[in-house]
Amino acid sequence: MVSTDGLTALWDRLFSAQPDPPPLLVLVTAAVALLVVSARMPWRIARNAVTIAHEGGHALAALFTGRRLHGIRLHSDTSGLTLSAGRPSGPGMILTLFAGYVAPSLVGLAGAWLLGGNRITLLLWVAVALLLAMLVLVRNVFGVLSLLVTGGVVLAVSWYASPQVQAAFAWTCVWFLLFGGVRPVAELQRLRSRGRLPESDADQLARLTPFPPLLWVTLFALVNLVALVAGAALLAGPILADAGLTG
């Protein structure tokens, strides 16, 4: 059995606030994340994390609206598929379709809120818990491997890395989700304009509502840009404090 002292130590480790990161760390991690999102090869590799969040958003929205979730598939080309059963139209289906493209940015915003309170360990452990929960829903080998590798890296950093490395890793990941949530929306519209994504989330939403696909793409972009600005404001707290601009 786990002793009371052990549980108390675990609780303190999980919920205690770490010191403010150096302002330089905040800037460097933002630059690294932006470089990964902007550069072709790093983006092709790291985009798997965005796909995980995208499909997780579909899955969570499906469960929240009472749909029956059949499973998630993650593919090596960074595409994914979430299958759910229920009414083929109506608010539940609309919310499920809408959630995918905004999920990475909203997850990034939630992460920025935790980092704004310096809850670095809590952020990492919540990420591991969400990846494990998603693991039981995945129905293909690549998806299982992708989640195991991602979760393993996050767990290893949270358990073995120094506080400085944990901070750098956490800030980079959250910046990446905030930046990385914007790029797929631009890619979506570019592919749609070439007729290459006739079954995109935006096109499916257009068939379920009176609104055209471009409106849904615009809404995806607006939500993600607002999340980016709000998340950046939260993450920039140490810089503002160092400049004496916060109370």
Side-chain angles (χ1 to χ4, degrees):
M1 295 180 63
V2 180
S3 66
T4 303
D5 290 343
L7 288 175
T8 301
L10 182 62
W11 181 271
D12 289 341
R13 179 177 181 180
L14 186 59
F15 288 97
S16 61
Q18 285 75 33
D20 284 340
L24 181 60
L25 180 142
V26 178
L27 292 174
V28 169
T29 54
V32 170
L34 186 58
L35 177 63
V36 171
V37 171
S38 303
R40 182 176 180 181
M41 187 55 66
W43 171 245
R44 289 184 62 183
I45 298 171
R47 185 175 173 166
N48 281 295
V50 174
T51 302
I52 290 172
H54 180 114
E55 299 305 328
H58 282 316
L60 185 61
L63 292 173
F64 179 76
T65 57
R67 297 180 62 80
R68 296 186 302 278
L69 190 61
H70 289 325
I72 299 169
R73 300 179 70 88
L74 303 171
H75 304 133
S76 59
D77 63 355
T78 72
S79 65
L81 179 66
T82 299
L83 297 174
S84 64
R87 286 186 58 191
S89 60
M93 190 63 196
I94 292 172
L95 182 60
T96 298
L97 287 169
F98 185 78
Y101 275 99
V102 300
S105 294
L106 294 181
V107 171
L109 179 59
W113 177 72
L114 287 174
L115 290 183
N118 291 332
R119 298 302 196 276
I120 299 172
T121 303
L122 179 60
L123 169 67
L124 297 177
W125 285 28
V126 167
V128 172
L130 291 174
L131 290 168
L132 288 175
M134 191 172 173
L135 182 62
V136 302
L137 301 171
V138 172
R139 299 292 183 264
N140 67 322
V141 174
F142 179 83
V144 170
L145 291 175
S146 182
L147 286 173
L148 286 176
V149 170
T150 305
V153 170
V154 177
L155 181 61
V157 170
S158 69
W159 195 259
Y160 297 109
S162 66
Q164 294 80 8
V165 172
Q166 288 187 23
F169 179 80
W171 254 265
T172 301
C173 289
V174 171
W175 278 119
F176 172 75
L177 287 173
L178 290 171
F179 289 129
V182 176
R183 178 167 175 173
V185 180
E187 294 175 342
L188 166 66
Q189 183 54 29
R190 184 171 68 251
L191 292 173
R192 283 194 64 261
S193 66
R194 299 173 182 174
R196 294 174 58 184
L197 283 179
E199 295 300 319
S200 72
D201 293 347
D203 289 276
Q204 293 183 65
L205 283 164
R207 289 195 288 270
L208 294 175
T209 67
F211 308 113
L214 184 58
L215 175 63
W216 291 107
V217 175
T218 303
L219 286 176
F220 294 156
L222 286 175
V223 170
N224 292 354
L225 289 172
V226 169
L228 172 59
V229 172
L234 290 168
L235 294 175
I239 298 175
L240 298 177
D242 189 65
L245 298 179
T246 59

